[in-house]
């Protein structure tokens, strides 16, 4: 089987890559012949070498607007030529290329991800490209996977396609040491890619006031430099209580930050089940989240929800930071919910079941 549409294996870029780092070895251990398509330079020095998994690097253009399409096309073309029994395709932008696999009688399981055509970071042309890809996915995919019940409802209404609900998973870590310079429960954490729809600007404004009383740790970057990264750099330079770590690919460090944070602020507004939120829950991070249908679906009644306003964000975070009892209760409740609903073993088993169903169907 082939996995198309991520940056490769192993990669630490985002949610798709995290899922593949868990799913690929799970399938390989259960007898699947797994090929993961990716990009040059996605692995880092010291990554474990799993010789059960074949990594294929294809060509593409490294740019914000063209990389997904170009790498998706080259990977799909290679898969069509080699004819795996089944393909797991991530991201609706690759919907344009599904006919290549269909012509070769390769069944496809497509993870539709979030609602990319509504994200603020994309311009008009990019939004139209993603919407076109969604329409192509609805027409040509053999089977769909959505990581959120609400996303599934949207696809049924807007594209007349149903699919399987499979969320992301989270690892419940062992007790980890507090990162240097921090104290358990005494700092506020923000982890996200720097894009407007992740409530980046509003959190930075809130952080200016929060940092008067508490340490603030910011993890993430835009991935391309520029205004958003510069704003985080300036805030960290101006306030001794603010630390900007940039992108963190060390899972142990990231898990430790979530495990010991007094509050984790989750500002994502567009998408389904967010991988960072699920992992934060598995680490027991008391969470203040932007009030969206997606975040409420994942957190249930165990999060604190706020409007995307700097004052509201600061007030909600302060309230939790001031109550050790509330922090303790949230840690227990949120982690228990992650164990029950977002365990990787169940997630991987669901993917394998869907792949088996596709293989059993005549093409």
């Amino acid at each position: 089987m082939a996995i198309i549409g991520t940056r490769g294996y192993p990669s630490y870029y985002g949610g798709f890559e995290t899922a593949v780092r868990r799913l690929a070895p799970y399938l390989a251990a259960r007898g699947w012949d797994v090929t993961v398509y990716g990009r040059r330079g996605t692995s880092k020095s010291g990554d474990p070498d799993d010789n059960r998994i074949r990594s294929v690097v294809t060509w593409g253009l490294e740019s914000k607007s063209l990389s997904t399409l170009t790498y998706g096309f080259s990977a799909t073309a290679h898969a069509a030529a080699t004819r795996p029994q089944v393909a797991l395709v991530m991201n609706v932008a690759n919907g344009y290329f599904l006919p290549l696999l269909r012509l070769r009688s390769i069944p496809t399981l497509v993870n539709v991800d979030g609602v990319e055509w509504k994200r603020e970071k994309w311009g008009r042309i990019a939004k139209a490209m993603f919407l076109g890809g969604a329409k192509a996915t609805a027409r040509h995919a053999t089977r769909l996977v959505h990581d959120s019940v609400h996303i599934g409802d949207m696809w049924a209404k807007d594209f007349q396609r149903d699919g399987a609900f499979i969320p992301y998973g989270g690892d419940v870590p062992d007790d980890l040491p507090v990162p240097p310079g921090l104290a358990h429960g005494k700092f506020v954490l923000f982890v996200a890619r720097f894009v407007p729809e992740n409530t980046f600007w509003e959190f930075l404004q809130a952080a200016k006031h929060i940092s008067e009383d508490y340490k603030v740790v910011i993890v993430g970057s835009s991935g391309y430099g520029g205004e958003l990264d510069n704003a985080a750099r300036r805030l960290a330079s101006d306030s001794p209580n603010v630390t900007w770590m940039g992108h963190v690919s060390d899972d142990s460090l990231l898990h430790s930050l979530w495990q010991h944070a007094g509050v984790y602020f989750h500002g994502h507004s567009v998408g389904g089940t967010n991988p960072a939120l699920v992992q934060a829950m598995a680490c027991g991070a008391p969470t203040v989240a932007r009030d969206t249908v997606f975040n409420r679906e994942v957190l249930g009644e165990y999060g604190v929800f706020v409007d995307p306003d700097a004052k509201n964000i600061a007030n909600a975070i302060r309230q939790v930071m001031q109550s050790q009892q509330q922090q303790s209760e949230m840690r227990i409740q949120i982690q228990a919910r992650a164990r029950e609903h977002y365990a990787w073993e169940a997630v991987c088993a669901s993917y394998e079941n869907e792949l088996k169903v596709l293989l059993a169907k005549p093409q």
Side-chain angles (χ1 to χ4, degrees), residues 12 33 42 62 68 72 101-102 122 172 189 197 218 230 236 245 256 261 303 327 339 343:
Y12 301 81
D33 182 6
T42 56
E62 288 292 349
T68 298
L101 302 177
R102 195 172 184 177
W122 301 120
V172 176
L189 178 64
E197 62 263 27
I218 299 172
N230 290 338
M245 291 187 168
S256 177
Q327 283 186 29
R339 288 181 187 272

Side-chain angles (χ1 to χ4, degrees), residues 4 37 47 70 102 123 170 173 186 195 200-201 234 256 262 302 360:
I4 298 169
Y37 286 91
D47 277 335
T70 54
R102 195 172 184 177
K186 301 299 183 182
V195 290
F200 174 78
W201 291 117
R234 283 195 302 270
S256 177
Y302 303 122

Side-chain angles (χ1 to χ4, degrees), residues 171-180 182-185 187 189 191 217 219 245 248 250-262 279-280 282-286 331:
D171 293 303
V172 176
D174 295 330
D175 291 340
L176 297 167
V178 183
L182 301 172
H184 177 76
F187 65 95
L189 178 64
V191 180
V217 177
V219 175
M245 291 187 168
V248 172
D250 182 341
D251 282 349
S252 293
L253 174 57
L254 193 53
H255 292 178
S256 177
L257 288 167
W258 272 316
Q259 197 174 78
H260 293 289
Q279 186 56 58
C283 292
R331 289 184 195 281

Side-chain angles (χ1 to χ4, degrees), residues 265-339:
F265 176 71
H266 184 78
H268 295 66
S269 62
V270 178
T273 299
N274 183 268
L277 177 56
V278 171
Q279 186 56 58
M281 292 167 63
C283 292
T287 303
V288 173
R290 180 166 173 168
D291 194 354
T292 71
V293 64
F294 305 112
N295 293 338
R296 284 186 176 272
E297 179 182 323
V298 177
L299 284 162
E301 60 185 294
Y302 303 122
V304 174
F305 301 97
V306 295
D307 294 328
D309 171 82
K311 183 177 180 180
N312 290 339
I313 293 168
N315 289 341
I317 288 175
R318 284 182 182 277
Q319 180 179 345
V320 179
M321 290 294 294
Q322 291 166 1
S323 174
Q324 289 187 354
Q325 180 179 348
Q326 185 177 6
Q327 283 186 29
S328 296
E329 291 174 353
M330 291 179 74
R331 289 184 195 281
I332 294 169
Q333 294 164 341
I334 279 176
Q335 191 173 67
R337 182 171 175 82
R339 288 181 187 272

Side-chain angles (χ1 to χ4, degrees), residues 100-181:
L100 295 176
L101 302 177
R102 195 172 184 177
L103 284 171
R104 300 287 282 171
S105 299
I106 303 168
T108 52
L109 180 65
V110 182
N111 184 316
V112 299
D113 197 24
V115 193
E116 288 288 330
W117 53 95
K118 293 186 179 180
R119 297 186 66 178
E120 295 178 39
K121 78 171 188 175
W122 301 120
R124 179 177 57 85
I125 295 175
K127 288 179 178 179
M129 181 272 291
F130 278 112
L131 181 56
K135 292 177 179 178
T137 296
R139 182 175 181 181
H140 299 295
T142 313
R143 178 79 165 143
L144 304 183
V145 167
H146 48 82
D147 59 43
S148 149
V149 173
H150 184 74
I151 291 288
D153 293 341
M154 184 208 72
W155 272 78
K157 177 183 177 183
D158 296 345
F159 301 103
Q160 293 75 54
R161 284 294 306 265
D162 63 1
F165 166 58
I166 308 177
Y168 287 101
D171 293 303
V172 176
D174 295 330
D175 291 340
L176 297 167
V178 183

Side-chain angles (χ1 to χ4, degrees), residues 203-283:
F203 179 79
L204 280 196
Q205 294 170 28
K208 292 178 183 178
H209 302 289
I210 297 168
S211 63
E212 294 172 2
D213 302 298
Y214 304 102
K215 290 193 174 184
V216 177
V217 177
I218 299 172
V219 175
S221 69
S222 68
Y224 297 93
E227 180 185 12
L228 300 170
D229 291 55
N230 290 338
R233 185 178 295 107
R234 283 195 302 270
L235 180 60
S237 176
D238 293 342
S239 173
N241 271 348
V242 177
T243 300
W244 176 40
M245 291 187 168
H247 177 72
V248 172
S249 60
D250 182 341
D251 282 349
S252 293
L253 174 57
L254 193 53
H255 292 178
S256 177
L257 288 167
W258 272 316
Q259 197 174 78
H260 293 289
V263 168
Y264 162 58
F265 176 71
H266 184 78
H268 295 66
S269 62
V270 178
T273 299
N274 183 268
L277 177 56
V278 171
Q279 186 56 58
M281 292 167 63
C283 292

